[in-house]
Amino acid sequence: MRTDLWKGKTIVITGGSSGIGEALLESLSRIPCKIINLSRSEPELIRKISKKKEKRPAEIFHIQADLSSEKEINKAVAKLAKLADGIDVLFNNAGITAHSRFDQTQIEAFRKAFDVNFFGPVFLTMRLLPFLKKNKGAIMVTSTVSGLYGVPARSAYSSSKSALHAVMESARIELSEEGLRFIIFCPPYTKTKLRANGIDGDGQILGESHYSGKSKTPEEVAEKMILSIEDPNSRLVVMDKSGFFMKWMRNISPSFLEKVLYKKLYKDFH
């Protein structure tokens, strides 16, 4: 991390109460900057600071908000406007996963996935554009390798993230002349509570245990995200072999990619 690039910056993080968002908050809190976290629950770090159990160089604020609700986003932005008049970096990190076969997925599960993964970050970004334009800021969305191609047993999840990709790419082209940057970040499997808090085909809490295979820590992912913000050429960022494989094979040989996904994830949809 180049700490000099972050000093004095105003940073907005969504979903900073757990997982990757919490790791971002922890890392950036060690730099003298202003951080505004938007999430349903207050991060443990902020609670410790408010109780004077910890002290950090960063000035950190928490705004409680359900980011799937336009009404709550509007309220959060009104509160944010009293804390900052410009934003340098927006980490659109909050998200939800959805696991089920397409033919066993109710439309409600699609709506829930899109409310959190698509409409939430899109609407928040739209509302924060005046702040971002003022500072010629960077917008990063936390997506997934599953957003690069339709993954079996993830139709609602994959489609909500793929739609988000399209919006960010359009916005990148349109607003580049105003100095804004849009980065799509696709981490691999990460040790978070994403599966436990995800939804099934009926839109109910999934409650799955964490992926047991090889995975990254939230701290590793957060570090790569920060480095990607620092790189002016970042656009679509992946972290490991699976991400690079999906990124390139979707264009080179989608039929081969589908065979690999069918074999690798067979048990997920049977």
Side-chain angles (χ1 to χ4, degrees):
M1 180 197 301
R2 291 186 55 187
T3 57
D4 58 305
L5 295 179
W6 297 89
K7 286 181 179 179
K9 302 298 185 183
T10 298
I11 304 157
V12 175
I13 300 173
T14 69
S17 58
S18 65
I20 296 170
E22 185 177 33
L24 281 169
L25 183 63
E26 171 66 33
S27 182
L28 293 169
S29 70
R30 301 180 184 280
I31 300 168
C33 62
K34 180 182 289 185
I35 305 174
I36 303 170
N37 172 72
L38 306 180
S39 60
R40 291 185 182 182
S41 58
E42 186 178 41
E44 178 64 25
L45 175 61
I46 297 180
R47 287 198 292 269
K48 289 180 179 179
I49 291 173
S50 64
K51 293 178 180 178
K52 298 183 179 179
K53 292 183 178 181
E54 287 197 29
K55 192 174 182 179
R56 297 295 171 90
E59 190 178 13
I60 309 175
F61 302 91
H62 169 66
I63 298 175
Q64 185 177 11
D66 176 356
L67 296 171
S68 66
S69 165
E70 290 185 20
K71 183 177 180 180
E72 292 208 20
I73 288 174
N74 280 329
K75 288 181 179 179
V77 171
K79 292 178 181 178
L80 185 149
K82 297 177 181 179
L83 300 172
D85 57 2
I87 296 173
D88 296 287
V89 180
L90 167 61
F91 287 102
N92 258 318
N93 177 69
I96 189 173
T97 191
H99 291 197
S100 64
R101 287 175 59 108
F102 175 71
D103 56 4
Q104 295 174 2
T105 303
Q106 305 301 312
I107 198 64
E108 181 59 28
F110 277 91
R111 290 196 177 101
K112 284 188 176 182
F114 270 77
D115 279 343
V116 178
N117 296 338
F118 178 78
F119 290 111
V122 168
F123 186 63
L124 178 63
T125 302
M126 292 170 66
R127 293 289 284 108
L128 293 181
L129 274 179
F131 302 86
L132 290 157
K133 286 182 177 181
K134 183 171 183 179
N135 289 17
K136 296 183 178 181
I139 300 93
M140 174 177 281
V141 293
T142 303
S143 185
T144 169
V145 173
S146 300
L148 298 174
Y149 202 86
V151 174
R154 310 284 193 280
S155 57
Y157 183 47
S158 287
S159 58
S160 65
K161 292 295 190 178
S162 294
L164 183 61
H165 289 198
V167 172
M168 294 298 109
E169 289 165 350
S170 295
R172 180 192 297 139
I173 298 168
E174 296 167 358
L175 298 171
S176 60
E177 61 187 3
E178 297 191 49
L180 296 184
R181 297 170 57 216
F182 290 82
I183 304 165
I184 300 165
F185 191 90
C186 298
Y189 287 118
T190 309
K191 296 175 184 177
T192 68
K193 296 179 181 179
L194 188 66
R195 288 187 172 218
N197 298 326
I199 57 174
D200 61 19
D202 295 319
Q204 303 302 310
I205 296 297
L206 193 61
E208 280 191 0
S209 59
H210 172 67
Y211 175 68
S212 58
K214 186 177 180 181
S215 57
K216 299 289 185 181
T217 65
E219 291 73 23
E220 288 175 313
V221 175
E223 180 183 6
K224 180 63 175 177
M225 292 171 77
I226 290 169
L227 292 175
S228 298
I229 291 288
E230 294 174 0
D231 181 358
N233 296 314
S234 292
R235 283 176 171 76
L236 175 61
V237 182
V238 295
M239 282 186 69
D240 67 351
K241 292 180 180 178
S242 65
F244 283 105
F245 177 79
M246 189 85 82
K247 181 179 178 179
W248 293 110
M249 291 308 296
R250 63 179 180 158
N251 296 318
I252 297 172
S253 181
S255 61
F256 177 71
L257 173 59
E258 290 178 8
K259 290 177 182 178
V260 172
L261 292 174
Y262 180 90
K263 183 177 181 180
K264 182 177 181 180
L265 298 174
Y266 183 83
K267 291 183 179 180
D268 282 15
F269 59 98
H270 284 86

